[in-house]
Amino acid sequence: MKRALQSCLIVAGSLFAATAAQAHISVSGPAFAGATHEASFGVGHGCEGADTYRVKVQIPAGVTSVRPLDSTFGKAVLEKDAEGNVTAVVWTKPLEEVLPADTNYYKLSLRFNVPETPFKTLYFPTIQTCRTADGAETVAEWVDTAGGHGSHGDNPDAPESLPAPALTVLPPRAPGWNKYTVNEHVHDLSVFKDALIVWAGKAAYSPNPSTQSLIETEPDTEVLTMIHPGTEIWVKY
């Protein structure tokens, strides 16, 4: 550890966290590998002025022991495959409770076991159905898993694919230094937004702007911008 960087870590009193754009259907996180996680899916708005009527959350492979909470939409319905694994959870409002306009924010919750896949992103493709007062339905598909802001795929005339709710899986941690071997390709270092510093060989990264500035000017120290599978890293929390 370089002396200047060590001093900066000692006096750092707060961490910088960049404001990230949120999908209109979001999922709370992060989650920790191998642990139980209670996730809330936030439905930020309806569809073109219409109230949300039904929400279907698809469950990614590896997520097990799925247990939904009932909500203002009523009782959750589970969809399963032939082996009995939960593949989706659906909440549907009673017709008489559909609002005449898009005025409410909704939260829908699940509890599940997180797979042992640290640094992996879990996507929960979600289908949102809205209903107007006269019974017309509109569907918004939050299913894009490319990590961008939605796409049309190969067909420019196809409906836009909106970003799926994404949940980052982190490894278990302890205060101080933690040693990990990363088996995923990490392009977005914001997964370390609550860390003091990350080291991979001679390269380092910090979400704290003061520490990051020292990294950029420290002799014989490279700026860490991404992590390749199989890389051993040290992270201080």
Side-chain angles (χ1 to χ4, degrees):
M1 173 66 65
K2 302 294 190 298
R3 181 174 299 176
L5 292 177
Q6 181 67 62
S7 299
C8 184
L9 292 177
I10 293 173
V11 302
S14 62
L15 297 179
F16 171 79
T19 300
Q22 296 292 323
H24 292 297
I25 294 186
S26 59
V27 58
S28 61
F32 291 92
T36 299
H37 181 66
E38 184 173 318
S40 292
F41 293 82
V43 183
H45 61 69
C47 315
E48 300 177 355
D51 187 33
T52 300
Y53 163 60
R54 180 184 296 116
V55 177
K56 177 178 179 178
V57 176
Q58 298 176 36
I59 305 302
V63 171
T64 59
S65 300
V66 178
R67 290 182 176 270
L69 292 176
D70 294 336
S71 72
T72 55
F73 278 65
K75 291 187 178 299
V77 176
L78 301 180
E79 295 185 359
K80 299 182 179 181
D81 61 18
E83 287 74 38
N85 301 308
V86 176
T87 58
V89 181
V90 184
W91 291 268
T92 305
K93 268 190 175 184
L95 289 177
E96 64 273 14
E97 295 183 12
V98 177
L99 301 178
D102 175 22
T103 57
N104 284 26
Y105 171 79
Y106 300 107
K107 276 190 176 182
L108 305 168
S109 297
L110 298 172
R111 190 180 68 182
F112 52 83
N113 288 344
V114 181
E116 291 278 3
T117 54
F119 300 110
K120 183 179 179 66
T121 299
L122 299 176
Y123 291 98
F124 294 80
T126 299
I127 307 299
Q128 177 187 18
T129 303
C130 302
R131 188 179 177 94
T132 63
D134 60 6
E137 293 188 359
T138 305
V139 175
E141 298 187 355
W142 303 89
V143 298
D144 180 52
T145 60
H149 299 286
S151 66
H152 295 276
D154 296 329
N155 182 2
D157 297 322
E160 183 180 18
S161 175
L162 301 167
L167 179 64
T168 301
V169 178
L170 296 180
R173 64 178 64 174
W177 287 103
N178 295 259
K179 182 181 179 182
Y180 306 117
T181 298
V182 179
N183 293 317
E184 302 287 336
H185 201 152
V186 180
H187 294 277
D188 183 2
L189 295 184
S190 67
V191 297
F192 301 108
K193 64 184 178 182
D194 59 341
L196 289 171
I197 195 167
V198 182
W199 281 96
K202 294 183 178 180
Y205 163 80
S206 175
N208 184 292
S210 298
T211 307
Q212 184 67 14
S213 178
L214 285 175
I215 292 170
E216 294 170 357
T217 57
E218 185 73 18
D220 301 321
T221 300
E222 301 172 6
V223 175
L224 183 66
T225 59
M226 66 176 64
I227 302 173
H228 298 281
T231 301
E232 184 178 277
I233 66 173
W234 286 88
V235 184
K236 187 172 185 179
Y237 291 104

